[in-house]
């Protein structure tokens, strides 16, 4: 399908995503976890911002998404909310927050929307989550599905591996996608699966697919912000394209600051404040006030 430039800068909404898919637009999604990253991502024109539970990996240092709590997602979503104006803001439902019954899940989802300011929630799982997705949608909550490699199942899966590599598991993923669409999900994340299966899913459903490690046929592409900015410590997956090495850039800036402090090069007079002449005279203090002091005070 020919590439169509998305129409900006209208506010992105859950229903507008389906229309974008119909128009053949390629949209972009990134994660964000705090006010400055949210502002930068939104102002760069990214269409969907996800407060992902990848928070556990890239911000909180847990090593995986399992320990992430509802409180943490709410706090980070509130911060992100303040920085987002145009993008659709989606918050992840963390592990354990929708596994103990539909009423509990509704309560958590409502918190993410009411307290966090999210416009939609995301949860992992296919057919088995379809009744829950329907329930949430019935409660006026927009739901994004997530199938393929579902990191909250890491203990059950035994690691992070490409999903849907056999005909049987591929068919299962296709059935999952249809079940989520039928249940009322407005979009589905397809994580780490063969591009052929992502293509079949993308062409077979009318809601957008959001691919991460699922190839070029998905309607939307998503990456974890810290991965694409090079602000990570572990080896990244093959689908991550790193656009800058922020870890290196930050280390360089921090080292130069430390060097300047240690050698006395920081702060300079221009980076400090002088006593006004009148007060200096009264206190009998010798001062060499500079133009910079007056301007900066
Ligand atoms: O938590 C997350 O960041 C995600 C994306 C990778 C889709 O679920």
């Amino acid at each position: 399908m020919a590439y169509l430039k998305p129409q900006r800068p209208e506010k992105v909404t859950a229903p507008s995503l389906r229309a974008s898919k119909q128009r053949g637009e390629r949209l972009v999604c990134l994660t964000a976890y705090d006010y400055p990253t949210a502002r930068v991502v939104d102002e760069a024109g990214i269409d969907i911002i996800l407060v992902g539970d990848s928070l556990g990996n890239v911000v909180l240092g847990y090593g995986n998404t399992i320990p992430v709590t509802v409180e943490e997602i709410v706090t980070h979503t509130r911060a992100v909310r303040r920085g987002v104006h145009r993008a659709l803001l989606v918050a992840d439902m963390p592990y354990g927050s929708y596994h103990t019954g539909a009423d509990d899940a509704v309560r958590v989802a409502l918190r993410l929307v009411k307290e966090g300011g999210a416009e939609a929630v995301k949860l992992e799982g296919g057919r088995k989550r379809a009744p829950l997705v329907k329930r949430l949608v019935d409660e006026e909550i927009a739901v994004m599905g997530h199938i393929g490699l579902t990191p909250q199942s890491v203990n059950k899966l035994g690691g992070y591996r490409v999903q849907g590599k056999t005909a049987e598991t591929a068919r299962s993923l296709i059935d999952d996608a249809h079940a989520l669409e039928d249940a009322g999900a407005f979009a589905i994340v397809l994580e780490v699966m063969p591009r052929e299966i992502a293509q079949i899913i993308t062409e077979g459903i009318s809601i957008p697919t959001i691919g991460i490690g699922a190839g070029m046929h998905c309607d939307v592409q998503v990456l974890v912000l810290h991965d694409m900015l090079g602000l990570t410590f572990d080896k990244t997956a093959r689908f991550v394209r790193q656009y800058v090495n922020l870890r290196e850039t930050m280390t360089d800036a921090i080292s130069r600051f430390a060097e300047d402090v240690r050698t006395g090069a920081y702060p300079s007079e221009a980076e400090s404040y002088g006593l006004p002449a009148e007060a200096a005279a009264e206190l009998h203090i010798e001062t060499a006030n500079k133009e910079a002091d007056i301007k900066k005070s």
Side-chain angles (χ1 to χ4, degrees):
M1 188 176 290
Y3 169 67
L4 278 173
K5 200 164 184 271
Q7 296 167 355
R8 297 202 178 84
E10 296 84 17
K11 172 83 187 86
V12 181
T13 63
S16 76
L17 291 183
R18 191 191 285 252
S20 293
K21 174 170 178 141
Q22 278 161 6
R23 288 195 295 267
E25 293 172 1
R26 282 191 201 161
L27 301 188
V28 194
C29 175
L30 276 175
T31 61
Y33 312 95
D34 55 26
Y35 175 77
T37 55
R39 252 195 96 153
V40 170
V41 171
D42 191 54
E43 288 173 7
I46 297 305
D47 305 292
I48 306 169
I49 294 182
L50 170 67
V51 183
D53 61 357
S54 50
L55 171 76
N57 303 71
V58 299
V59 173
L60 300 178
Y62 290 149
N64 62 41
T65 62
I66 303 293
V68 175
T69 66
V70 173
E71 290 308 320
E72 286 164 344
I73 294 283
V74 169
T75 301
H76 284 268
T77 304
R78 284 166 67 109
V80 167
R81 174 73 280 166
R82 293 180 204 116
V84 175
H85 296 286
R86 175 185 171 270
L88 177 74
L89 176 55
V90 184
D92 238 339
M93 294 189 67
Y95 180 61
S97 71
Y98 55 97
H99 303 72
T100 57
D103 288 344
D104 288 350
V106 170
R107 267 188 286 274
V108 171
L110 290 175
R111 277 196 72 191
L112 299 183
V113 172
K114 284 171 73 87
E115 290 176 45
E119 293 157 289
V121 300
K122 175 169 83 59
L123 55 87
E124 296 183 3
R127 276 159 292 168
K128 72 175 176 196
R129 300 285 176 221
L132 175 58
V133 170
K134 182 173 182 328
R135 170 75 195 280
L136 292 168
V137 173
D138 285 345
E139 306 298 358
E140 326 306 337
I141 299 161
V143 181
M144 179 183 281
H146 184 160
I147 59 173
L149 173 56
T150 46
Q152 292 176 10
S153 313
V154 62
N155 293 326
K156 191 171 157 190
L157 297 173
Y160 301 106
R161 296 196 187 87
V162 182
Q163 302 296 300
K165 282 169 71 176
T166 64
E168 190 190 347
T169 55
R171 254 186 236 113
S172 174
L173 287 177
I174 295 165
D175 291 346
D176 283 341
H178 284 278
L180 291 172
E181 177 178 30
D182 293 345
F186 71 91
I188 308 175
V189 170
L190 307 183
E191 181 160 355
V192 191
M193 65 177 69
R195 52 184 173 272
E196 294 84 352
I197 305 308
Q199 182 174 14
I200 292 169
I201 293 173
T202 301
E203 289 173 359
I205 62 178
S206 59
I207 55 173
T209 56
I210 302 176
I212 175 158
M216 61 295 280
H217 303 295
C218 297
D219 300 300
V220 184
Q221 294 291 332
V222 59
L223 282 177
V224 168
L225 183 71
H226 290 55
D227 288 346
M228 56 89 66
L229 294 180
L231 194 52
T232 48
F233 299 88
D234 302 320
K235 192 174 173 294
T236 49
R238 83 144 86 166
F239 57 82
V240 172
R241 188 176 292 181
Q242 190 187 301
Y243 286 84
V244 62
N245 191 334
L246 267 199
R247 186 178 166 197
E248 232 169 70
T249 304
M250 287 172 74
T251 303
D252 176 59
I254 292 163
S255 305
R256 286 192 291 120
F257 169 62
E259 173 76 3
D260 284 352
V261 171
R262 288 179 185 130
T263 60
Y266 178 87
S268 67
E269 278 191 9
E271 289 157 331
S272 59
Y273 304 91
L275 188 65
E278 207 176 287
E282 235 181 284
L283 293 166
H284 307 291
I285 293 173
E286 289 264 329
T287 173
N289 276 352
K290 301 252 160 59
E291 187 72 0
D293 292 331
I294 296 151
K295 275 196 193 136
K296 277 196 134 188
S297 55

